[in-house]
Amino acid sequence: MHNDETGIVTRSGGRRLRWLAAAVAVPLFGVVAAFGTVEHVPEPIPVRIVIEPLALSATPVGDSGTIIYVQEDRFRRSDTLATLIERLGADEDEAATLLRSSRAARPFRLLLPGTTVKAKVDDTGRLRSLWFLSDRDTILSVDRLGESFGSFEQQARWRAK
């Protein structure tokens, strides 16, 4: 069964194929020609290296000669406020002083396991400040006020990067 005569399907399929090839090729050649004609080259940006000495002023933190360390740790399920404060580098007496001030220790009842707590502790182990971000988007902090502590709450400010 050999048939040399081309059928209707073959003839119309060939025409469609040619039209499809032309429809794809013409825009493609136009894009290539458009990129081929662009001759604008931006001028290089001049670069200068400037070296200037910066005068840094000595700004004491806390008492003169006192070094302040900022520690960070997460509140764990089995933690008490005393164990957390000790793990942050403060003396155990500091935890007792804070706990005696029930008003200052009150914000720490809101601590949930996994919450990051930060502390400022000086080189003698004295707790200067303790703070964390609550689930209400406020920063709850306890700061040293002489020989006792005071608690503070402020709305957290977010910076876009």
Side-chain angles (χ1 to χ4, degrees), residues 133 136-139 153-158:
L133 180 65
R136 299 181 317 226
D137 291 335
T138 58
I139 298 172
E153 181 175 351
Q154 70 181 24
Q155 189 65 35
R157 290 179 269 152
W158 298 101

Side-chain angles (χ1 to χ4, degrees), residues 28-140:
L28 183 63
F29 289 131
V31 170
V32 170
F35 280 113
T37 59
V38 174
E39 292 184 23
H40 176 65
V41 177
E43 294 180 22
I45 299 172
V47 177
R48 243 181 8 150
I49 297 176
V50 177
I51 300 174
E52 290 183 26
L54 298 176
L56 300 176
S57 62
T59 310
V61 177
D63 301 334
S64 61
T66 303
I67 300 172
I68 304 290
Y69 298 100
V70 177
Q71 305 283 357
E72 179 179 300
D73 205 340
R74 291 193 185 270
F75 186 71
R76 300 176 188 159
R77 189 172 300 277
S78 60
D79 274 347
T80 63
L81 186 55
T83 58
L84 175 66
I85 290 172
E86 288 177 33
R87 201 168 57 244
L88 288 167
D91 289 339
E92 59 187 47
D93 297 337
E94 294 296 299
T97 304
L98 177 60
L99 291 172
R100 276 194 299 269
S101 173
S102 62
R103 185 175 199 157
R106 189 174 300 146
F108 291 93
R109 292 182 192 152
L110 300 174
L111 268 176
L112 298 172
T115 303
T116 300
V117 180
K118 295 182 181 182
K120 286 184 182 177
V121 180
D122 66 18
D123 56 350
T124 63
R126 192 169 187 196
L127 181 65
R128 298 298 181 108
S129 180
L130 190 67
W131 71 95
F132 68 95
L133 180 65
S134 75
D135 58 350
R136 299 181 317 226
D137 291 335
T138 58
I139 298 172
L140 299 174

